[in-house]
Amino acid sequence: MSELFRRDPRAQWIARNRLHPMHQALVIGPVFGPSGLLRKNLHIIGFIGPNGLKRIDRSGASNDSEQGSRRSATASEVILPLHQVIEPAFYVVVVLDLVSGRLNGHDKDTLGLAQQLANRNCGNDNGGGAVVAIAFGELKDDSLDKAGVDRLIHINDEQYAHYNPEQRCNDLQGIIAELDPQHILLPDSINGGGDLGRRLAAAMKQRPACGVWKLNDDSVVCRGSAGKSDITRPLSKLMLVMEECSEPVSETRHENIEIPQKSSRLVDGKLLDQGNISVDPNAIPLAEAGFILSGGNGINDWAQFHHTASVLGATEGASRVAVDDGNMPRERQVGATGTWVTAQVYIAVGISGAIQHMQGIGQCDKVVAINTDEGCDMVKRADISAIGDSTEILARLVELVEQRKLAKQTINEGTSNE
Amino acid sequence: MSSSEFLSQFLFTLISFAILLTLVGAVKRMLLWSQGQSSTIHWLGLLQIPRRYLVDLHHVVARDKYMSNTHVATAGGFVLSSILIILLYVFQLKLQILTWALLGSSLLMFVGSIFVMIRRRNPPPNLSLGKWQRLPKSLMVFSLSFFILTLPATGILPSDTGGWLLAVLLVAGIIWGIGEMFFGMTWGGPMKHAFAGALHLGLHRRQERFGNGQSTGLKAIDLSAKKLGVEKPIDFKWNQLLSFDACVECGRCENNCPAFAAGQPLNPKKLIQDMVIGMAGGDDAKFAGSPYPGIKVGTHKGGAIIPIVNVLVESDTLWSCTTCRACVDACPMMIEHVDAIVDMRRFETMEKGQTPGKGSEILENLSATDNPNGFDPSSRMNWAADQNLTVFGHDEKKQEVTEADVLLWIGDAAFDMRNQRTLRAIIKLLRAADVNFAVLGDAEFDSGDLARRLGDEATFQRLATSNISTMNKYQFKTIVTADPHAFHCIKNEYVEFGGNYNVMHHTGFFADLVTENKLLLDNSKELALTYHDPCYLGRYNGEYDAPRFLLESMGVKIKEMDRSKSTARCCGGGGGAPVTDIPGKQRIPDMRMADVVETKAEIVAVACPQCNLMLEGVVEPRPEVKDIAELMLDALIEGGIENTGEGVVVNMVGAQL
Amino acid sequence: MSNNNLSVISLVSIGEHPTSRRPRRAEQDARAIELGIKLVGDNLQTLHAGKLSDDPSQQTALRSYLGMGLSEIHLLEMSENADAVLVIAEYLKQQKIDIILTGVRAENGESSGMLPYLLAEQLGMAMVTSIAEILSIDEVNQQAEVLQALPRGQRRKLKIDLPFIASVDMAAAMPRQSAFGPAMRGQFEATQAATVTDQESSGWQVADAKKRPKRLKIIKAKTAADRFKAATAKASGGGGKVVHGVEESAQAILDLLVEEGLV
């Protein structure tokens, strides 16, 4: 059937006339206004709140979930316009971190900034530069086009699976000599970009702009003094950029054409990667830990607590009371009087939340409270609060996690068998 | 030659010889003391010895009535007997009255020694055994021998009674008695306490302590010295070495030490005895009292030029101390344990850089941010953003002032959310009483109390001098603070750096306001309440009454704890103890809270931010912890008082309820 | 470890406290010294390029390194805005050094973290960044094993040829406490260094760091209603959810862990 919108003046008339006997029946479905726009009947949605006032929940939490998912499903099918650079006026090189072969947020932001640099001071199709992404090692990500990669140089070889910054630095110098890019961007990260960028700068005798977090017209703003000051300085050829230096590319698709690369000269490195060593989560200093399971006075079964931590792979923390009672060592104490933590997820088991403790977890991203007392301060602060016996909840959590691990393993084995 | 003639001859020789040996011993002992560093010699103090002994020392001893009576009898009898013996047998003054006097004094001493003996039958654990168990027998033998010896001379018994047999027995008894009482006095016997103690009373390093005076501030050291603090026994001042010798091992310090009670490895008595071992050389195997909890006796030795820490005394012992001064206060010999501990801590921190626990972090924070937790120094007044406080300063645009009646010292409670509540209460009370006050704002630094007690004299002196130079820019009459540690520091320890201020703790200041009817408190509330004396307010500054007066003004009948006022137990928060965090068997605040629970109080009133934190740190359920200022604010009758011509008219809006 | 033949030098700078901005011992440099002392004890050399103030109260930052038990710091005297790299490289070229230890980056100034790389380039040495520990040194084969700090407490083991430069990460062992006495008694041995002023940085504008705006969730919605929904959904949903019951609780926590990618 045609999707053309047809007006039904009678139906519209009935919909407008609330006294019409057929009104109720007609307005249940979607109602279109005279211009064809969808109209919501505010009289039939919502509910009567506790004060007797009508409340309409627009959050989508209550009734629109189905609609929302449908909408997002259609949105993902949207094909973004393709941004083409046929004759690049210049190049902007981005060296990707590619942690475990995938783009991370920092990579995407760097590409976003690179696209800004490639397309400033020019119209849509002429004079623009091309963003060349350089990927070392395995590349598992297939969204490079959506992240803003116009050209790709992919150097893959057995040795790039390891940390070999000297070789990479040498390869980059070769590429740069060939492309003569206007700018070279690297994420100023601990995942390799920061190190590689500085090596490259030293080798090229280029003064890099480090810690760039903002691009103005002809200048960049860098964090100096270990984050305490902002230095505004001219754009430089080599820039090490911070996370969120720019919005990632989201509106366009890019060509992602791979430029074949001549095999590069092998460097006799002075560094040799011996591989990562396995680190016991409990050997990680609390301040550095990303995932902390913290126990307090409400824990009865400490053996279970330690077991849960090891199953979850979490670093153990403790409240002051747990430390005072000798259940945990002093260096595990979280709080203003212990260690200030910065975990991504902090699970507080049986900790009611003394002020000093709450101060110490102020910088944690997500806080989970497991507690019997719903009124305690920790529950007020937590993103998720599980009210109940901690022993039971932890036991169930361990079960769930182990099930999940098992399920994952079977999937992995299945794929590897294929 | 009759036996009595022989005795008289023999005694002359024996006593003269014993006195000679005693003098030799005394010189040797003095040489040991003189190894110490030079210090002012208060010669005039020597004249005061009898008075100090009879008044100041007995004031402490008399807290135990039994012991004080016993000591009067024994010591009085002995001193008198000794003088008479010397007159009678060395100078041969054969006066009948002296003989009778000797008879009386030796009898007195004998009676005393019986009580000593009874006490030593089942000695409480704080008493040392070993040679101290021998002492009552020696006392008895000495007094009895001279008593019997004197009987014939008075004519009560015929001369030559008992013949040679008794003479031999008496000779044996006298040799034992004189050996213990004279010779032992300077050669390391238990009677050493009498000799060293007497001199110590005269030459005490803190002369101000006598005659009801107070001297509790730590003494400054010269930071340009070649060695900072005490490493070896000879690094103590000579009069400190002397004071160690005065120890009578009564163990009252041990009974009062919170760290000892909590099972932390500190026993003040053993520490002082270890200092004696260090001074004279040897090991601690003969020590016959309670050990440091968890550390075996007999495993450590020392010498005058051997480093003390971790050889003679474990560093944990030093760092267990909360500097609560309970030991000093309880010591009848007026020994200054805290001074010695801080002296040794100074070396650990300033020369070795080995402050345990979070100590080094705290000290680094203090030098970088002037507060112990490393908060942004410009955020010091953030807590008071809504308080509209008047700040001292010269910027008229910000309405800063250079003059006010009261300087309100905020202290590090500014950064602590719990104690900010107390500060807010104080400000409301000050405003209710219409007090003209101002604060130093960001220009206020930590008082330096913590740094000093952690042994970092350098940081303390920097903070103290900066604070003094800041305060000297402004005019005010009184400094008021809620923090007894700051109170003590500014009042007693800034003096050496030229800071002389009239400092009051908020309880003292408010007590005056209440007396002057400037603050009116509702006294109708019935609270089951007890009061915990902060060490730095009570023992350090003798303020026991103002807080109690305030509580009583609110109609509270305080349920006093057994350990209160001068024997109050520390909350465990002083002297950097929470920072160094030496493990023990239990926690000091838990013990203190148990004291509170015993009184069946529902609220424990405190007057110190540190006590507040330590006691609130005790796991619930427990009595509520509230600062006196908070309680006062609850009981404050707003609208207050109008001064009319006829006198004070009370606005009874709240009071009628 | 006894590495008596090893020549180790640590480069120290004057740090700056993050909130009070007062000069202090730089945290990473102090860790470098700690590592150096553990490696060679008293044989550790220490070098600083800069000027020593005549006022003792201004010397505390440098002296706090001495307080760690160093007997002296070698001082290359140069003016304030001179390029330290050239000065240090010139000095080090004349020495026979096996290991140079530095911090990862300075606590003030440009704080680019380039110094160790530039020195490595000029001296032709190997360079390793962000180390947490030196595991062993094989003097026969002229190799060392080091642990490199990775995010969230992970470690990578590396073999590196001597001589090398290593920048020391915050994950390295805590530096020992600086004691006042030795700090005051330690010596500075100063030599005048020829200096080249850093011209380039003179044109830069330096201001206190501005707080960076928190990035909003990008909403790829095409209609106003969707954008509105997406913007408000976050405020009402998620935060402060209270769950009762064992099963529901465990599931809710697991969901969060999965969402955060931790399980």
Side-chain angles (χ1 to χ4, degrees), chain C residues 57-153:
Chain C
S57 68
Q58 299 297 311
Q59 298 177 354
T60 48
L62 273 183
R63 286 203 176 272
S64 60
Y65 293 110
L66 290 169
M68 296 173 75
L70 309 171
S71 52
E72 62 162 40
I73 289 178
H74 195 109
L75 208 64
L76 299 174
E77 278 195 305
M78 58 170 218
S79 58
E80 220 170 83
N81 49 358
D83 191 342
V85 175
L86 299 174
V87 172
I88 296 172
E90 214 43 56
Y91 173 80
L92 291 177
K93 271 177 197 163
Q94 293 152 23
Q95 322 278 320
K96 193 212 151 280
I97 305 282
D98 293 311
I99 300 175
I100 302 172
L101 299 169
T102 72
V104 173
R105 58 177 187 171
E107 292 182 357
N108 49 21
E110 189 185 349
S111 185
S112 67
M114 282 302 291
L115 181 125
Y117 292 92
L118 292 170
L119 283 180
E121 190 67 29
Q122 297 210 11
L123 300 171
M125 286 169 132
M127 158 73 201
V128 57
T129 188
S130 306
I131 66 163
E133 214 178 318
I134 294 182
L135 294 173
S136 65
I137 290 172
D138 180 353
E139 284 183 55
V140 181
N141 294 323
Q142 290 286 298
Q143 267 193 332
E145 267 190 330
V146 300
L147 274 192
Q148 190 178 38
L150 299 178
R152 294 295 185 198

Side-chain angles (χ1 to χ4, degrees), chain A residues 216-384:
Chain A
N216 293 333
D217 293 336
D218 289 315
S219 61
V220 284
V221 185
C222 309
R223 279 281 195 251
S225 313
K228 293 187 295 293
S229 65
D230 279 337
I231 301 171
T232 308
R233 55 192 273 185
L235 278 171
S236 56
K237 179 161 184 175
L238 184 60
M239 290 191 281
L240 302 179
V241 304
M242 291 171 74
E243 212 165 349
E244 301 189 7
C245 56
S246 144
E247 291 294 341
V249 172
S250 62
E251 305 280 319
T252 47
R253 217 157 31 90
H254 295 259
E255 295 165 292
N256 190 22
I257 302 169
E258 185 157 352
I259 308 177
Q261 194 57 26
K262 289 173 283 184
S263 62
S264 55
R265 184 177 62 87
L266 274 182
V267 175
D268 183 21
K270 292 170 180 167
L271 268 173
L272 190 63
D273 188 357
Q274 305 278 82
N276 283 19
I277 59 167
S278 62
V279 179
D280 173 15
N282 273 333
I284 302 173
L286 264 184
E288 256 186 90
F291 179 21
I292 298 176
L293 182 72
S294 201
N297 196 36
I299 288 194
N300 304 317
D301 185 352
W302 282 92
Q304 187 212 23
F305 174 79
H306 298 309
H307 176 67
T308 313
S310 73
V311 170
L312 296 179
T315 305
E316 288 179 14
S319 73
R320 187 191 57 73
V321 178
V323 173
D324 288 342
D325 291 350
N327 290 313
M328 292 287 280
R330 182 62 69 189
E331 77 268 10
R332 294 280 136 203
Q333 184 184 326
V334 173
T337 46
T339 308
W340 296 68
V341 296
T342 57
Q344 183 189 347
V345 173
Y346 183 83
I347 306 185
V349 190
I351 300 176
S352 55
I355 285 179
Q356 291 80 10
H357 194 89
M358 305 312 280
Q359 276 177 287
I361 62 169
Q363 290 183 62
C364 288
D365 202 16
K366 285 269 158 44
V367 175
V368 178
I370 303 181
N371 213 304
T372 46
D373 175 14
E374 195 171 339
C376 71
D377 287 336
M378 184 59 80
V379 169
K380 285 175 198 151
R381 157 73 169 86
D383 297 275
I384 293 182

Side-chain angles (χ1 to χ4, degrees), chain B residues 350-394:
Chain B
M350 287 195 289
E351 293 291 353
K352 283 162 78 181
Q354 294 196 342
T355 322
K358 294 190 82 168
S360 70
E361 194 185 322
I362 297 262
L363 294 176
E364 219 163 303
N365 284 337
L366 277 169
S367 28
T369 61
D370 306 321
N371 69 75
N373 291 308
F375 295 108
D376 183 353
S378 64
S379 70
R380 187 174 272 275
M381 290 308 285
N382 284 8
W383 69 276
D386 58 343
Q387 298 288 321
N388 206 10
L389 295 181
T390 314
V391 181
F392 279 112
H394 297 283

Side-chain angles (χ1 to χ4, degrees), chain B residues 15 157 183 279 288 357-358 363 512-513 569 584 644:
Chain B
I15 295 170
L157 289 178
F183 176 75
M279 169 172 68
K358 294 190 82 168
L363 294 176
D512 288 352
L513 290 179
R569 174 167 279 162
T644 64

Side-chain angles (χ1 to χ4, degrees), chain A residues 33-355:
Chain A
S35 60
L37 278 177
L38 185 69
R39 289 288 178 207
K40 267 189 187 149
N41 183 353
L42 299 181
H43 295 286
I44 60 163
I45 58 174
F47 56 93
I48 304 298
N51 308 341
L53 288 176
K54 184 150 197 168
R55 293 276 172 227
I56 299 173
D57 178 8
R58 298 187 198 277
S59 69
S62 57
N63 51 359
D64 276 351
S65 59
E66 211 181 304
Q67 276 185 17
S69 66
R70 204 187 320 128
R71 196 169 291 141
S72 64
T74 49
S76 68
E77 285 162 24
V78 169
I79 295 169
L80 297 167
L82 182 68
H83 174 92
Q84 278 183 305
V85 191
I86 296 154
E87 277 291 314
F90 58 90
Y91 290 105
V92 177
V93 165
V94 173
V95 185
L96 300 172
D97 263 352
L98 289 178
V99 178
S100 50
R102 290 175 205 284
L103 292 175
N104 61 14
H106 203 164
D107 282 334
K108 288 180 185 171
D109 296 343
T110 313
L111 285 168
L113 188 73
Q115 282 294 347
Q116 275 191 47
L117 286 167
N119 294 311
R120 63 193 193 122
N121 311 329
C122 68
N124 270 342
D125 285 322
N126 53 6
V131 172
V132 186
I134 300 177
F136 290 107
E138 202 185 4
L139 181 58
K140 291 184 197 155
D141 208 306
D142 54 5
S143 64
L144 259 58
D145 55 343
K146 291 196 201 82
V149 176
D150 295 318
R151 303 285 186 273
L152 175 70
I153 295 175
H154 186 195
I155 303 172
N156 198 1
D157 184 339
E158 206 272 316
Q159 64 157 320
Y160 293 98
H162 299 286
Y163 175 70
N164 58 343
E166 293 155 312
Q167 177 68 45
R168 293 179 195 212
C169 179
N170 181 61
D171 295 347
L172 284 178
Q173 278 181 275
I175 292 165
I176 287 158
E178 208 173 296
L179 295 179
D180 186 27
Q182 203 168 60
H183 296 290
I184 307 153
L185 304 186
L186 289 99
D188 195 353
S189 73
I190 198 168
N191 294 313
D195 180 35
L196 189 54
R198 289 181 175 84
R199 275 177 204 277
L200 188 64
M204 289 168 55
K205 303 199 167 31
Q206 279 283 342
R207 186 172 195 159
C210 300
V212 176
W213 66 275
K214 196 175 168 196
L215 174 70
N216 293 333
D217 293 336
D218 289 315
S219 61
V220 284
V221 185
C222 309
R223 279 281 195 251
S225 313
K228 293 187 295 293
S229 65
D230 279 337
I231 301 171
T232 308
R233 55 192 273 185
L235 278 171
S236 56
K237 179 161 184 175
L238 184 60
M239 290 191 281
L240 302 179
V241 304
M242 291 171 74
E243 212 165 349
E244 301 189 7
C245 56
S246 144
E247 291 294 341
V249 172
S250 62
E251 305 280 319
T252 47
R253 217 157 31 90
H254 295 259
E255 295 165 292
N256 190 22
I257 302 169
E258 185 157 352
I259 308 177
Q261 194 57 26
K262 289 173 283 184
S263 62
S264 55
R265 184 177 62 87
L266 274 182
V267 175
D268 183 21
K270 292 170 180 167
L271 268 173
L272 190 63
D273 188 357
Q274 305 278 82
N276 283 19
I277 59 167
S278 62
V279 179
D280 173 15
N282 273 333
I284 302 173
L286 264 184
E288 256 186 90
F291 179 21
I292 298 176
L293 182 72
S294 201
N297 196 36
I299 288 194
N300 304 317
D301 185 352
W302 282 92
Q304 187 212 23
F305 174 79
H306 298 309
H307 176 67
T308 313
S310 73
V311 170
L312 296 179
T315 305
E316 288 179 14
S319 73
R320 187 191 57 73
V321 178
V323 173
D324 288 342
D325 291 350
N327 290 313
M328 292 287 280
R330 182 62 69 189
E331 77 268 10
R332 294 280 136 203
Q333 184 184 326
V334 173
T337 46
T339 308
W340 296 68
V341 296
T342 57
Q344 183 189 347
V345 173
Y346 183 83
I347 306 185
V349 190
I351 300 176
S352 55
I355 285 179

